[in-house]
Amino acid sequence: MNNNLNISWKKIYDFTLSCGNVHELKAFSVKILSGLESLCEFDQSLVYFFDGNGKVCNQYLANIDKQWSTLYLEYYSKTENGRYGLIKKMSEDPSVPTISVRSWNEEPTTEFVSNYIRSRGLKYSLGFVLYDIDGKPRTLFALDKTRDQKFRDNELTMIRLAVPQLNNLHKKFFCQQTSRQNMDKISWETTNLTPRETEIANLLCQGVSPAIISKSLFISQSTTYKHIANIYDKMHVSTRQELLVRLLG
């Protein structure tokens, strides 16, 4: 326990443990929102789910009228050169969780702030993003306050401690694991791959990302990508899905 910030490690542990017991993405995200209420105070919240192309494909709103979300997605997310748009091109940095905090009273008065934020009565917002196994943003959370009370330092610290753990749990929903039966059908000896290339190809076919492959095999990412390029060249494919299809015949 950090007495200066009053950090409850047990709360963080119990929170992330309970989230790990949920095995469906939307239910997992709703569980996160309900669990966050034990770590910090907020009045409204929403979750946007992205497809692989960075487009919103689903949403979950708590204490927010759907019209506000529709208005934002269809208009305000595209105004002011995307200044207040959704995260689309950001890639994951595992060492730094993607968390942002805004004090709307300190933001310049723009059309978005004047007609949307103030019309909703928002004072502060905290957002964070969770990624898939390829480092693409797939789920965005926004916690909003209508009360004029900043997020406290201990609240921000607990969220920064919890988000990397939630991110790791979140990745499991994007691990399109090939069944063991299908993997057993592959005749690796006929592929002309080296032992290291076979090892990496096997992991790729199981849905493991290059970044995780690098860590698990204790090699650099550049070396991993060189091996992947050699695998694709030998197998005459250009994507992981094509590789799997080719290996399964």
Side-chain angles (χ1 to χ4, degrees):
M1 178 79 69
N2 186 320
N3 291 325
N4 292 328
L5 289 177
N6 192 27
I7 303 302
S8 174
W9 296 97
K10 185 178 186 304
K11 278 187 179 181
I12 297 171
Y13 173 79
D14 290 343
F15 165 51
T16 55
L17 183 64
S18 65
C19 291
N21 291 326
V22 183
H23 305 294
E24 190 276 324
L25 179 57
K26 190 169 185 179
F28 172 75
S29 302
V30 173
K31 185 70 173 179
I32 288 177
L33 286 181
S34 63
L36 282 173
E37 293 176 350
S38 69
L39 302 185
C40 70
E41 297 180 352
F42 53 94
D43 304 306
Q44 302 175 358
S45 58
L46 65 81
V47 184
Y48 285 140
F49 303 92
F50 302 93
D51 62 21
N53 297 313
K55 304 293 184 181
V56 175
C57 59
N58 204 349
Q59 65 180 3
Y60 175 82
L61 310 177
N63 299 323
I64 302 175
D65 193 299
K66 188 177 179 180
Q67 67 172 344
W68 288 114
S69 176
T70 301
L71 181 62
Y72 171 74
L73 292 174
E74 294 183 357
Y75 179 68
Y76 284 112
S77 66
K78 303 176 179 66
T79 61
E80 302 173 32
N81 296 318
R83 177 178 179 181
Y84 298 107
L86 296 168
I87 296 172
K88 293 183 179 179
K89 298 182 179 179
M90 180 173 289
S91 58
E92 179 185 19
D93 181 348
S95 63
V96 182
T98 306
I99 300 172
S100 64
V101 181
R102 287 188 186 273
S103 171
W104 293 112
N105 290 331
E106 298 174 4
E107 289 288 313
T109 300
T110 63
E111 178 188 353
F112 173 71
V113 172
S114 178
N115 297 343
Y116 184 81
I117 295 299
R118 291 178 184 161
S119 293
R120 281 184 57 192
L122 300 187
K123 302 297 184 182
Y124 300 94
S125 294
L126 184 155
F128 61 91
V129 179
L130 303 181
Y131 296 85
D132 65 16
I133 59 174
D134 294 315
K136 294 180 180 178
R138 298 300 290 265
T139 310
L140 180 147
F141 294 78
L143 314 178
D144 298 317
K145 284 192 176 190
T146 56
R147 72 192 86 174
D148 197 4
Q149 179 188 76
K150 292 183 177 181
F151 289 96
R152 297 189 295 271
D153 288 342
N154 68 313
E155 293 177 329
L156 297 175
T157 298
M158 286 194 287
I159 289 177
R160 290 191 176 103
L161 291 170
V163 166
Q165 299 178 64
L166 296 174
N167 194 43
N168 287 335
L169 293 172
H170 178 264
K171 289 177 184 292
K172 71 182 180 182
F173 299 106
F174 301 93
C175 291
Q176 301 299 323
Q177 296 285 349
T178 303
S179 70
R180 188 70 257 168
Q181 183 179 4
N182 282 340
M183 294 301 294
D184 289 342
K185 293 178 181 178
I186 298 174
S187 299
W188 295 103
E189 65 274 8
T190 66
T191 61
N192 195 35
L193 299 178
T194 67
R196 177 62 97 184
E197 289 168 352
T198 298
E199 189 175 22
I200 291 174
N202 192 2
L203 291 171
L204 283 173
C205 289
Q206 294 179 60
V208 182
S209 71
I212 301 302
I213 290 174
S214 300
K215 290 180 181 179
S216 62
L217 299 182
F218 302 101
I219 58 178
S220 68
Q221 287 197 42
S222 61
T223 299
T224 299
Y225 281 112
K226 286 179 182 177
H227 282 306
I228 293 173
N230 290 336
I231 293 167
Y232 285 2
D233 184 58
K234 289 182 178 180
M235 300 303 297
H236 306 290
V237 299
S238 57
T239 67
R240 179 164 50 190
Q241 186 61 35
E242 291 177 2
L243 174 64
L244 180 57
V245 171
R246 177 61 60 87
L247 288 170
L248 292 175

